[in-house]
Amino acid sequence: MKSKKYYFHDKNRNIISEDQLIGKKIDDLECFFSDYQVEKLHTNERIFILKKSFFGIFKLRLHLYLTEDTVYEYAIQN
């Protein structure tokens, strides 16, 4: 079974896929996540809420793990 691949777009309709996140600077990615609510903002980790369901109880989250403002790992979790 294949997992779903996520794509993000900015205001200019530039598109980036989830597998292109690794190696990017967080400053370059901020425009892609400006429409999403930030759950955690830390120097080593950023968590964005991609989707809420059932009155906000269940949330789909994007975890970005950073080192020196560069994404080295990500996870999309419920």
Side-chain angles (χ1 to χ4, degrees):
M1 182 175 172
K2 285 188 165 187
S3 63
K4 183 177 177 181
K5 191 171 188 179
Y6 292 91
Y7 295 90
F8 308 100
H9 62 85
D10 64 2
K11 302 283 186 207
N12 297 325
R13 297 291 183 200
N14 296 320
I15 298 174
I16 188 170
S17 66
E18 66 179 76
D19 55 350
Q20 293 175 317
L21 296 173
I22 296 177
K24 299 277 188 190
K25 295 280 188 189
I26 194 65
D27 294 336
D28 297 336
L29 295 175
E30 288 291 331
C31 60
F32 290 98
F33 302 114
S34 61
D35 293 338
Y36 299 109
Q37 180 183 354
V38 177
E39 186 172 88
K40 182 179 179 182
L41 185 64
H42 191 270
T43 56
N44 296 332
E45 181 181 21
R46 303 265 169 99
I47 300 175
F48 297 95
I49 298 175
L50 301 179
K51 184 178 175 184
K52 293 181 183 179
S53 59
F54 198 64
F55 303 105
I57 295 174
F58 300 106
K59 298 175 185 174
L60 182 66
R61 296 176 179 96
L62 170 67
H63 298 254
L64 295 178
Y65 302 102
L66 309 169
T67 180
E68 298 179 11
D69 292 334
T70 303
V71 177
Y72 70 89
E73 189 63 56
Y74 74 92
I76 298 176
Q77 302 173 344
N78 285 328

